[in-house]
Amino acid sequence: MRNKELNLAIFPGDGIGIEIIQEALKVLKVVSVKSSRKFNIQEGIIGGAAYDLAGNPLPEESMELAGKSDAVLLGAVGGPKWENLDYKLRPERALLGLRKQLGLFANLRPVVVFDSLIDTSTLKSEIIRNINIMIVRELTGDVYFGTPRGVHVENGNRIGINTMIYSEEEIRRIAKVAFEIAQKRGKNLVSVDKANVLESTQLWRDVVTEVSADFPDVTLRHMYVDNCAMQLIRNPLQFDVILTTNMFGDILSDEASMLTGSIGMLPSASLGRTKAMYEPIHGSAPDIAGKNIANPLAAILSVALMLRVSFDMPKEAEMIEKAVTDVLEKGLRTPDICQGGTKIVSTETMGEAVVEKLKEIMP
Ligand code: IPM
Ligand code: MG
């Protein structure tokens, strides 16, 4: 990867996606200049924006662009404007389509708390200090994609149906990813299911246990999802790596994000065998879109994650993270992470502060 030109597809999407991706790109530009790596950046349309322009939330050209890129950087999709569309045309469908068609079955959501944001969290500081959790969420299966699905009428009664389904192959491949990650971290893996009620997750539990035989150095615990939701608030420091299903991972990662102070801080990586996509875990936040107040740090940290995981540039990734840490230590805050004694700044000012710091510390 080192000498190759890097092909990057950018999809800002909807709402605050547009503002935060702009800041992320400024950061990437500094990296490109300083490291002399060439990024071929091509921008595509996706989500509600694509529906408005092309009548399709995931136009073929966008899918093609994503398919031929080394990595995709995405902002966010969705908004009230498109909420009444048929499911097939909704912005969220584009995201699910990208994940599925690129084969991005492993979603990594690192939950790390920055020391300077300890008091921003709604939880007590002693509960969250030093949190460092990696949530490994299965991303292309489960009730998100299972069939049959839909709403139909039986004897004048409307019936809504979705199907929670996992094959052992799907479970095995995501379990391997999680065990390998755990091996490189604290060697402590919690697999989350609802095996006391749902057969598909009893299979999950069985297969994860089978895979664990190949990773004797990793301690495996199984936990029901309701208990995990409670434990995340009660004692989050017990967690190193959490492995879970698509649906449970969606819910638990939003919950876990609040340990860090704001959902506006968390990046994510979605990985397949060959493709990768990076995005903040937050949504398009239509209520604050276009106001220049959104937190761009999750998008900026997504760039760091991309450099580390897809482009073999760990030093550059670390420097972006260091610049973010520094800017937070200086007291700069977007409204979502503001507490007493700190300075509220705009999306742009926050992005530029990271850029300035990065320019200063990158050789
Ligand atoms: C996420 C989001 C998506 C999901 C939505 C926007 C489809 O909530 O990435 O967590 O449910 O996966
Ligand atoms: Mg979610």
Side-chain angles (χ1 to χ4, degrees):
M1 265 297 182
R2 261 284 160 190
N3 303 314
K4 201 175 142 266
E5 287 190 3
L6 305 169
N7 296 311
L8 178 60
I10 309 272
F11 296 107
D14 304 319
I16 62 168
I18 296 155
E19 302 154 65
I20 58 166
I21 287 296
Q22 245 168 33
E23 301 313 310
L25 284 178
K26 289 180 196 165
V27 169
L28 188 62
K29 195 165 165 217
V30 178
V31 173
S32 168
V33 170
K34 293 267 191 173
S35 66
S36 325
R37 299 288 305 269
K38 183 158 169 38
F39 293 90
N40 293 321
I41 299 177
Q42 271 187 284
E43 187 172 325
I45 52 168
I46 197 172
Y51 174 78
D52 287 348
L53 275 166
N56 178 355
L58 182 55
E60 226 165 83
E61 307 83 71
S62 296
M63 196 55 236
E64 256 171 46
L65 172 61
K68 65 175 200 209
S69 304
D70 299 313
V72 174
L73 180 64
L74 189 134
V77 294
K81 187 174 170 198
W82 305 284
E83 254 165 24
N84 294 321
L85 288 174
D86 187 86
Y87 266 94
K88 289 193 180 63
L89 296 172
R90 288 204 197 166
E92 289 78 6
R93 236 349 123 82
L95 193 52
L96 300 182
L98 267 181
R99 289 172 179 172
K100 190 74 172 176
Q101 291 185 53
L102 296 176
L104 309 175
F105 66 89
N107 183 217
L108 314 187
R109 300 191 159 182
V111 180
V112 179
V113 64
F114 286 82
D115 277 344
S116 49
L117 291 185
I118 291 265
D119 294 326
T120 317
S121 176
T122 46
L123 278 96
K124 295 193 188 97
S125 58
E126 64 267 27
I127 303 286
I128 55 166
R129 198 179 299 279
N130 297 325
I131 278 181
N132 188 340
I133 305 172
M134 178 64 88
I135 298 181
V136 179
R137 170 190 177 195
E138 200 289 329
L139 202 61
T140 51
D142 201 2
V143 68
Y144 271 58
F145 295 95
T147 52
R149 65 185 300 155
V151 177
H152 65 276
V153 183
E154 273 175 34
N155 303 324
N157 185 23
R158 277 175 299 163
I159 313 273
I161 179 167
N162 286 98
T163 303
M164 187 176 263
I165 177 169
Y166 266 118
S167 73
E168 65 170 316
E169 278 162 17
E170 286 175 308
I171 302 168
R172 191 165 286 121
R173 70 177 177 182
I174 189 70
K176 277 189 190 154
V177 170
F179 275 102
E180 279 162 13
I181 290 173
Q183 261 181 338
K184 293 189 200 128
R185 295 175 41 111
K187 299 190 168 49
N188 168 352
L189 180 71
V190 173
S191 173
V192 177
D193 61 44
K194 187 70 186 171
N196 50 343
V197 178
L198 304 169
E199 288 86 345
S200 63
T201 71
Q202 178 62 53
L203 179 66
W204 179 278
R205 185 173 282 222
D206 294 345
V207 175
V208 171
T209 304
E210 286 161 28
V211 173
S212 72
D214 295 333
F215 300 88
D217 53 333
V218 176
T219 308
L220 168 67
R221 273 194 300 157
H222 298 284
M223 196 178 274
Y224 296 137
V225 62
D226 47 351
N227 184 28
C228 181
M230 186 265 278
Q231 295 295 340
L232 269 172
I233 304 290
R234 193 185 75 85
N235 175 20
L237 284 170
Q238 70 184 285
F239 295 106
D240 173 24
V241 179
I242 294 177
L243 161 65
T244 192
T245 63
N246 200 346
M247 172 82 139
F248 298 160
D250 179 44
I251 299 165
L252 294 176
S253 60
D254 266 33
E255 185 191 3
S257 77
M258 268 322 285
L259 304 172
T260 73
S262 168
I263 196 169
M265 293 299 301
L266 292 202
S268 83
S270 303
L271 311 175
R273 295 267 175 249
T274 56
K275 301 285 167 201
M277 179 158 83
Y278 298 84
E279 58 178 313
I281 82 156
H282 61 69
S284 61
D287 52 324
I288 61 164
K291 296 186 178 160
N292 196 17
I293 59 174
N295 184 348
L297 294 179
I300 290 172
L301 292 168
S302 296
V303 170
L305 203 54
M306 174 177 83
L307 295 178
R308 179 177 292 121
V309 177
S310 278
F311 296 153
D312 191 24
M313 298 172 77
K315 286 206 186 77
E316 289 81 355
E318 228 169 82
M319 276 183 265
I320 294 176
E321 287 156 359
K322 165 109 192 35
V324 168
T325 306
D326 184 84
V327 163
L328 290 172
E329 269 163 17
K330 273 200 205 117
L332 269 64
R333 299 284 188 274
T334 42
D336 58 311
I337 49 174
C338 182
Q339 81 268 11
T342 54
K343 184 173 171 221
I344 295 198
V345 298
S346 67
T347 308
E348 273 179 35
T349 306
M350 185 64 112
E352 274 151 24
V354 175
V355 162
E356 285 318 309
K357 188 68 202 175
L358 194 57
K359 280 184 183 160
E360 191 187 311
I361 60 177
M362 263 190 100

